[in-house]
Amino acid sequence: EVQLVESGGGLVQPGGSLRLSCEVSGVTISSNYMSWVRQRPGQGLQWVATIYGGGTTYYAESVQGRFTFSRRDSLNTVYLQMTTLRPEDTANYFCASHYCNSGSCYVDYWGQGTLVTVSS
Amino acid sequence: SYVLTQPPSVSVAPGKTATLTCGGDNIETRSVHWYQQRPGQAPVVVMYSDSERPSGIPERFSGSNSGNTATLTISRVEDGDEADYYCQLWDIGSDHVLFGGGTKLSVL
């Protein structure tokens, strides 16, 4: 059974930092594309970042330069380091594992999400 | 940048057919995936690669992609189909994941 379990969310002041973790079981993260997807309260899904199996990372423009996606293969865990947080970063952050075929990828497994609130 | 456009809401009576659309420039050349999200839950894929149905998804769900519109069709709609639906594709050119804005399906 595949499970993705996020942690690390919470309340942080604007300009602050937070690190999210996602422990993965049932799939090997170093062989998979992994993403973070967020959802602001009452709004739609928004892609944040992706890490490829080889370690290359890609970011949405809104978080480029502020967020860093990394992983620790020995723990089968991925991380999202968030700095210079803004109120508009307030959202539920989902960890996601992709299945890729013929040049296209979709999310086949999602975590339950961890809530990040940026407020003074 | 590439944009996916979904109507904010669709309403349908039980037993009828719901047609959810996802518009994009020449989207037929892309592979489109669809997710269902019920309140308070994580999304679930209900269609991938335009028209492939994952195991466990009822045959009532079908997908197509032609021209500038990808479509998720739900036949014989049930109360349990009431949810938000999102289309998604992988933009190879930018290595970005794109989501549509989502459609709230209401079952009357």
Side-chain angles (χ1 to χ4, degrees):
Chain A
E1 182 189 8
V2 177
Q3 282 195 314
L4 287 70
V5 180
E6 304 96 334
S7 60
L11 175 64
V12 61
Q13 292 190 338
S17 299
L18 209 58
R19 189 179 83 156
L20 306 183
S21 301
C22 173
E23 288 188 50
V24 181
S25 57
V27 295
T28 303
I29 61 172
S30 60
S31 302
N32 252 37
Y33 288 11
M34 301 292 298
S35 289
W36 289 95
V37 176
R38 70 185 181 185
Q39 187 168 34
R40 296 181 176 123
Q43 297 194 22
L45 302 173
Q46 182 185 27
W47 172 71
V48 174
T50 295
I51 189 166
Y52 285 7
T56 305
T57 53
Y58 295 91
Y59 300 91
E61 285 75 9
S62 59
V63 306
Q64 180 80 48
R66 299 188 300 122
F67 290 10
T68 302
F69 199 162
S70 64
R71 71 184 194 215
R72 191 163 178 183
D73 294 345
S74 61
L75 298 180
N76 217 41
T77 299
V78 298
Y79 306 95
L80 187 68
Q81 177 70 49
M82 305 184 294
T83 63
T84 320
L85 283 161
R86 306 165 179 167
E88 56 265 35
D89 295 318
T90 294
N92 195 25
Y93 284 74
F94 293 101
C95 178
S97 172
H98 292 274
Y99 176 83
C100 299
N101 186 35
S102 300
S104 184
C105 303
Y106 67 91
V107 177
D108 55 352
Y109 297 103
W110 298 78
Q112 282 304 304
T114 185
L115 182 63
V116 173
T117 303
V118 184
S119 174
S120 54
Chain B
S1 60
Y2 198 84
V3 176
L4 296 174
T5 301
Q6 298 183 251
S9 63
V10 168
S11 299
V12 63
K16 300 299 185 182
T17 297
T19 302
L20 308 180
T21 60
C22 176
D25 184 38
N26 208 22
I27 199 172
E28 67 177 0
T29 64
R30 318 271 189 140
S31 186
V32 178
H33 319 294
W34 292 88
Y35 303 90
Q36 177 193 69
Q37 186 182 32
R38 295 190 173 103
Q41 297 186 18
V44 173
V45 62
V46 294
M47 197 66 55
Y48 66 92
S49 300
D50 298 336
S51 59
E52 299 295 322
R53 193 175 53 250
S55 61
I57 301 302
E59 292 183 10
R60 302 184 294 105
F61 287 74
S62 62
S64 64
N65 188 359
S66 179
N68 295 317
T69 304
T71 302
L72 177 70
T73 302
I74 309 173
S75 304
R76 302 180 301 283
V77 165
E78 303 175 355
D79 289 348
D81 298 330
E82 189 163 278
D84 295 323
Y85 291 83
Y86 297 91
C87 58
Q88 176 253 315
L89 58 79
W90 190 277
D91 188 20
I92 295 176
S94 63
D95 286 294
H96 282 28
V97 177
L98 300 178
F99 287 99
T103 295
K104 180 177 182 60
L105 176 65
S106 297
V107 181
L108 302 174

